[in-house]
Amino acid sequence: MKQQLVFPRQKVGLICVGAISRPQILLQSFLLFTFLLSPIAAGAVDITQQLHRPLNSSVGRQSRDEADSLLSIGEKQYALGYADKTITSCLRALELYHSIGDLKAQGLTYNLLAKAYVQLNSLKEAEDALRRGLAIARDTKDFQSQVFVLNNIGTFFLQQGEFAAAGKTVEDALAIAHGVKNIEGEGLSLSNLGLVTARLGDYNKAIKLYENALIFRRQTGDDIGEANTLNNLGDAYLASGNYQDTIGTYGAAMQIAKTNRDRTNELRAIDGLVTAHTAVGRYERAFDLLEQRLALAKELQNLREELKSFESYAQLYKQQGNYLTARNFYQRAIILARTLEDSKQEVQLLDQLTKMLQHK
């Protein structure tokens, strides 16, 4: 399942600024599905509206306009999976927001920056950005931002396998959101609590949390958040072996994501559908979906997503006993891994190919 780095709430001052430093950085990160951060998703409210404040100085207005534009671009880059470009945009935006003394805008930028660092597995940098964002939210008594920052921190804990800390942090966020009647924050927090619960293996409880989260997300018209929660719900159905509801739920997520050009959730929904259809022997439908996935990856010019598509093709052909075609797709995936200079992925693919050839 893929976590969504965003922001939930609770009482002020629940997590000290330094509370996310020790165990997380020592533990090895694991990404939550291709969603994983997948999960993720910035604040649902238009970020330009959140940041815009009138300035007296024309220079200040120019700096704000440029910073707002950079942050908006950064959000789009993150949604498309370009975490490195997101970081570049955010760092420049931070400089400008710092120059005009806008703490709230800096806090929002740190949140997006943290998500991008997590996607790149740069955990120390992500931790620093999260701590800074939470400190700003507390200094400015910005309860809404505290909700979302705490959710992001909870997601960070979850990625480190720190389930107890993740659950406590998100519960804190949910309490704040409920206290200030922030429907958006309640939906996000419930969805993330579902993620924690699913990670602990209680899929029935996770499903109930996701279904509750959907009620709040639909009230606010948060389509991207709804698609993310639907994907989480699909993951839970899949893990519990309920393929009928799995397919229906992923299908709904894919449609919403496609309508909103939310490529991250669209790709994730396709992956879930491929797995579910394959599990029930609907190979033709699985191949149709993989064709859509590969076309989307090429449209985005995203080599990493192309690599994932080739690997999925290889695994599906291998499962059908078509080892020659599977080998071809493994080889294409390996070439892309080399192009991306991802030696770890290359080794994993070579290992899969070798094992297949040995046991065919």
Side-chain angles (χ1 to χ4, degrees), residues 194 197-207:
T197 304
R199 283 283 170 180
L200 292 171
D202 191 344
Y203 300 113
N204 289 332
K205 182 178 178 181
I207 287 169

Side-chain angles (χ1 to χ4, degrees), residues 100-318:
I100 60 178
D102 191 329
L103 280 177
K104 182 175 181 179
Q106 290 176 53
L108 291 167
T109 308
Y110 277 124
N111 291 325
L112 179 57
L113 187 61
K115 290 162 55 179
Y117 278 131
V118 168
Q119 193 171 75
L120 293 177
N121 203 27
S122 300
L123 300 185
K124 290 184 179 179
E125 291 82 359
E127 177 198 21
D128 181 68
L130 286 169
R131 288 192 293 108
R132 290 174 184 271
L134 182 59
I136 288 172
R138 285 177 172 160
D139 287 347
T140 57
K141 293 181 169 54
D142 183 347
F143 295 103
Q144 176 168 310
S145 291
Q146 285 181 48
V147 169
F148 292 112
V149 176
L150 285 170
N151 267 292
N152 284 347
I153 292 173
T155 294
F156 184 83
F157 279 132
L158 187 59
Q159 289 176 298
Q160 305 308 304
E162 292 288 314
F163 302 136
K168 178 62 167 62
T169 305
V170 177
E171 285 173 356
D172 288 347
L174 179 60
I176 295 178
H178 184 72
V180 298
K181 295 179 170 53
N182 184 323
I183 295 175
E184 180 188 1
E186 288 189 77
L188 172 64
S189 302
L190 285 166
S191 187
N192 282 339
L193 275 179
L195 275 177
V196 176
T197 304
R199 283 283 170 180
L200 292 171
D202 191 344
Y203 300 113
N204 289 332
K205 182 178 178 181
I207 287 169
K208 291 177 182 177
L209 286 165
Y210 292 140
E211 289 173 342
N212 199 9
L214 285 171
I215 295 172
F216 289 97
R217 303 207 119 165
R218 286 166 179 162
Q219 285 181 29
T220 60
D222 180 5
D223 290 335
I224 292 177
E226 181 179 353
N228 186 78
T229 298
L230 282 168
N231 272 328
N232 291 346
L233 181 57
D235 292 339
Y237 281 135
L238 182 62
S240 60
N242 183 344
Y243 297 113
Q244 182 175 345
D245 286 335
T246 295
I247 291 170
T249 303
Y250 280 135
M254 183 173 71
Q255 189 56 52
I256 292 172
K258 186 179 295 185
T259 300
N260 289 276
R261 298 186 64 79
D262 175 9
R263 302 314 191 193
T264 298
N265 273 312
E266 185 177 356
L267 286 166
R268 186 180 160 204
I270 290 174
D271 288 338
L273 284 169
V274 168
T275 301
H277 282 293
T278 300
V280 295
R282 296 173 184 164
Y283 297 112
E284 186 175 349
R285 178 56 178 154
F287 279 119
D288 287 343
L289 287 160
L290 281 179
E291 185 177 354
Q292 292 179 42
R293 193 193 199 290
L294 182 57
L296 181 56
K298 288 182 175 179
E299 175 190 329
L300 297 173
Q301 298 181 333
N302 190 320
L303 293 182
R304 189 163 296 281
E305 292 299 339
E306 283 190 51
L307 185 158
K308 291 178 183 176
S309 299
F310 289 149
E311 183 179 8
S312 293
Y313 264 118
Q315 291 171 347
L316 189 52
Y317 277 115
K318 179 177 68 175

Side-chain angles (χ1 to χ4, degrees), residues 278 283 287 312-330 356-357 359-360:
T278 300
Y283 297 112
F287 279 119
S312 293
Y313 264 118
Q315 291 171 347
L316 189 52
Y317 277 115
K318 179 177 68 175
Q319 186 168 335
Q320 289 190 302
N322 188 339
Y323 299 115
L324 182 62
T325 306
R327 182 177 66 179
N328 177 268
F329 277 105
Y330 271 129
M356 182 191 74
L357 295 175
H359 295 90
K360 68 177 182 177

